[in-house]
């Protein structure tokens, strides 16, 4: 027999138990599967060492809060989102007044160059900033471009 | 191979849910059915394992041949799709998994019905739920099932540890979500940084020419439980070739998931004991099965019997044409017709899952029945 099977008595409980540790963090809040009040652990929670389980439990709650928030944002953000780009971080700071959201990224415009991106905003909702003339471009993020074909069919096989 | 009746565990629903199979009942009917089980011999399992790896090798050979010839006419693909398929094959973009469907009664040669190479599901039940069933219900037996271990090995073989991998599926599909959650979990265990999102939340940043997640972060590696033939029809298809994102499954897997591969496989490996004669036109005689080139869940299949009988399944897939395949009637055990779903992780046979139906056409309502071997 090749390696394609588990040997009797070679419990995979240890391995599956590890899944249980991560299943909490792996669960996506966007699932519509009826969970009946329990996380879809891939092994009984009894297999989880107590100290680690407590850590994961705490971590799961944080992840859930973050991801649920993310889902709300996703639902709101199927319209384009924009981020202005700047030649330097200082330009971005001068316009927006803070540095926290300035990010360096590569732009394919003008032959390709590194730029700094400011905060995101939705169409028609850009706040009035100190000096918008400093921006050299605007990066548009479109969403909803995958998934529409599913309306006609079922997905899996 | 035999079908035996079993007493379901009293708390089988809770047991299934506790291991992640919370879609055990669909539309009020059991999808997970442990009132029966299929029992194999070790020799049968070993034979099946070899067949899976042989057929997988034949499939890869066929893809290589298609790409070398550059002949995609029968797949009805756009030029952009063809280019990406070629590029991904030539780059050696790795595959994670796939599932063959075989007709077999334990005797003779298993016959390949199709290869669900792009978006196979049934993974949680095959890898996890039936393993727990076996350890609890038939602890003295064994099971052809190293799917979980193979997945844990496969991730670091195809991606650097610590790589960021996004997982996307359609949020409204419960089974797909469960499959993605499970795969995400295996990736995380294997040392990857994972993030899940709804497929529709994937963004495209025009200036950066990148696919981004819901937080605006670049998507380097995307596991998508969404068929390639639909990806190519969606609005973002035009960006697939220019963005840096690498996809799982890779674009070349489309060739194997399309039923159009079946005639090509037969032409290239004519007489292979595990392949059925297949053709692009109705030239095979009867009994034969007509299948859409792109279809899922047993939809739009018509079974043309030797006696002139016709069994058809409804569905929405009829746009791109059909192929014909000689019929390998599914065996019948206690009035049920089982299909053996054989999992490939990387290039290795990794286990099986069995679905059975009252009809000789397996559909999305067919039950999953666990197995073991003794």
């Amino acid at each position: 027999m090749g390696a394609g099977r588990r040997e009797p008595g070679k419990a995979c409980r240890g391995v599956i138990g590890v899944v249980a540790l991560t299943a909490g963090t792996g669960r996506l809040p966007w699932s519509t599967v009826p969970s009946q009040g329990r996380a879809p652990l891939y092994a009984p929670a009894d297999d989880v060492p107590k100290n680690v389980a407590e850590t994961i439990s705490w971590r799961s709650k944080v992840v859930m809060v973050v991801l649920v928030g993310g889902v709300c944002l996703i639902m709101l953000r199927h319209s384009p989102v924009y981020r202005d780009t700047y030649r330097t971080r200082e330009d971005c700071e001068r316009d927006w007044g803070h540095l926290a959201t300035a990010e360096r990224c590569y732009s394919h415009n003008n032959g390709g160059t590194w730029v700094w991106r400011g905060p995101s905003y939705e169409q028609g909702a850009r706040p009035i900033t100190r000096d918008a003339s400093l921006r050299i471009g605007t990066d548009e993020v479109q969403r909803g471009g995958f998934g529409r074909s599913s309306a006609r069919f079922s997905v899996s096989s | 191979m035999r079908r035996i009746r079993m007493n379901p565990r009293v708390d089988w629903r809770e047991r299934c849910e506790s291991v992640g199979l919370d879609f055990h009942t669909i539309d009020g009917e059991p999808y997970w059915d442990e009132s029966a089980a299929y029992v194999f011999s070790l020799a049968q399992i070993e034979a099946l394992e070899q067949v899976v790896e042989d057929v997988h090798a034949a499939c890869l050979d066929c893809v290589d041949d298609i790409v070398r010839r550059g002949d995609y006419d029968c797949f009805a693909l756009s030029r952009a799709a063809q280019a990406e398929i070629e590029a991904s094959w030539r780059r050696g973009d790795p595959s994670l998994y796939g599932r063959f469907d075989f007709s077999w009664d334990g005797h003779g040669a298993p016959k390949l019905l199709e290869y669900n190479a792009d978006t196979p599901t049934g993974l949680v039940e095959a890898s996890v739920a039936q393993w727990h069933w076996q350890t609890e219900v038939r602890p003295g037996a064994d099971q052809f099932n190293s799917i979980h271990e193979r997945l844990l090995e496969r991730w670091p073989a195809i991606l650097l540890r610590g790589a960021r991998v996004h997982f996307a599926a359609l949020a409204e599909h419960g089974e797909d979500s469960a499959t993605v959650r499970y795969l995400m979990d295996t990736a995380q265990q294997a040392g990857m940084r994972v993030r899940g999102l709804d497929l529709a939340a994937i963004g495209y940043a025009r200036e950066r020419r990148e696919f981004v997640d819901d937080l605006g972060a670049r998507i380097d590696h995307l596991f998508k439980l969404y068929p390639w033939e639909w990806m190519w029809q969606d609005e973002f298809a035009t960006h697939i070739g220019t963005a840096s994102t690498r996809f799982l499954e890779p674009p070349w897997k489309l060739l194997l998931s399309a039923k159009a591969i079946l005639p090509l496989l037969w032409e290239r490996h004519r007489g292979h004991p595990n392949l059925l004669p297949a053709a692009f036109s109705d030239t095979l005689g009867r009994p034969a099965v007509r299948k859409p080139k792109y279809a899922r869940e047993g939809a739009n299949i018509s079974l043309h019997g030797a006696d002139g009988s016709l069994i058809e399944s409804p569905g929405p897939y009829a746009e791109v044409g059909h192929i014909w395949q000689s019929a390998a009637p599914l065996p019948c055990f206690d009035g049920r017709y089982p299909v053996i779903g054989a999992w490939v992780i990387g290039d290795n046979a990794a286990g099986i899952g069995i679905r059975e139906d009252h009809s000789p056409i397996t559909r999305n309502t067919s039950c999953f029945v666990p197995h073991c071997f003794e």
Side-chain angles (χ1 to χ4, degrees), chain B residues 105-263:
Chain B
D105 64 357
H107 304 285
K111 298 294 185 184
L112 175 67
L113 301 175
E114 61 186 51
Y115 189 9
N116 302 290
D118 187 16
T119 58
T121 56
L123 187 63
V124 177
E125 42 278 51
S127 177
V128 183
Q130 71 168 347
W131 172 249
H132 280 274
W133 168 87
Q134 186 257 312
T135 56
E136 292 167 17
V137 177
R138 292 181 76 85
D142 204 343
Q143 191 172 82
F144 182 20
N145 186 0
S146 61
I147 299 169
H148 187 81
E149 292 82 351
R150 293 281 191 192
L151 285 169
L152 294 186
E153 292 168 5
R154 186 61 180 162
W155 283 113
I158 61 178
L159 294 172
L160 293 174
R161 280 191 195 277
R164 184 171 56 186
V165 189
H166 286 79
F167 290 76
L170 295 167
E172 65 268 28
H173 289 267
E175 183 187 358
D176 295 350
S177 300
T179 303
V180 165
R181 284 201 305 273
Y182 173 62
L183 283 172
M184 209 161 108
D185 217 63
T186 61
Q188 188 173 35
Q189 285 189 65
M192 308 301 151
R193 292 181 295 143
V194 300
R195 180 169 177 79
L197 75 166
D198 182 0
L199 196 83
I202 292 174
Y204 180 73
R206 284 195 172 278
E207 193 170 344
R208 287 182 283 159
R209 297 183 190 171
E210 291 170 348
F211 288 118
V212 297
D213 67 13
D214 47 310
L215 300 179
R218 185 180 68 226
I219 298 177
D220 298 317
H221 305 282
L222 177 64
F223 176 90
K224 47 87 205 159
L225 196 62
Y226 187 74
W228 269 111
E229 64 266 27
W230 298 357
M231 297 272 283
W232 294 117
Q233 293 178 36
D234 280 345
E235 185 185 336
F236 279 175
T238 53
H239 307 312
I240 291 171
T242 53
S244 59
T245 302
R246 291 285 178 265
F247 294 89
L248 284 168
E249 292 298 303
W252 60 263
K253 273 301 207 59
L254 176 145
L255 300 179
L256 294 176
S257 68
K259 308 297 185 293
I261 195 69
L262 297 171

Side-chain angles (χ1 to χ4, degrees), chain A residues 5-13, chain B residues 6 9 15-16 19 32 34 36-39 125-146 149 352 368-374:
Chain A
R5 69 184 174 96
R6 290 171 173 149
E7 296 294 333
K10 263 195 188 173
C12 287
R13 188 165 291 277
Chain B
M6 302 285 295
R9 292 167 290 181
R15 301 300 295 160
C16 286
V19 296
W32 168 269
E34 59 177 65
Y38 284 89
V39 182
E125 42 278 51
S127 177
V128 183
Q130 71 168 347
W131 172 249
H132 280 274
W133 168 87
Q134 186 257 312
T135 56
E136 292 167 17
V137 177
R138 292 181 76 85
D142 204 343
Q143 191 172 82
F144 182 20
N145 186 0
S146 61
E149 292 82 351
I352 58 172
F368 187 99
V369 180
H371 85 279
C372 62
F373 69 88
E374 296 171 338

Side-chain angles (χ1 to χ4, degrees), chain A residues 122-155:
Chain A
E122 293 188 28
Q123 193 167 26
R126 189 185 192 281
I128 297 172
T129 52
R130 293 176 179 173
D131 187 358
S133 67
L134 291 169
R135 62 185 171 181
I136 58 172
T138 301
D139 192 11
E140 176 189 350
V141 175
Q142 292 182 315
R143 298 192 190 278
F146 282 134
R148 294 195 177 162
S149 296
S150 68
R152 292 178 293 152
F153 310 106
S154 70
V155 177

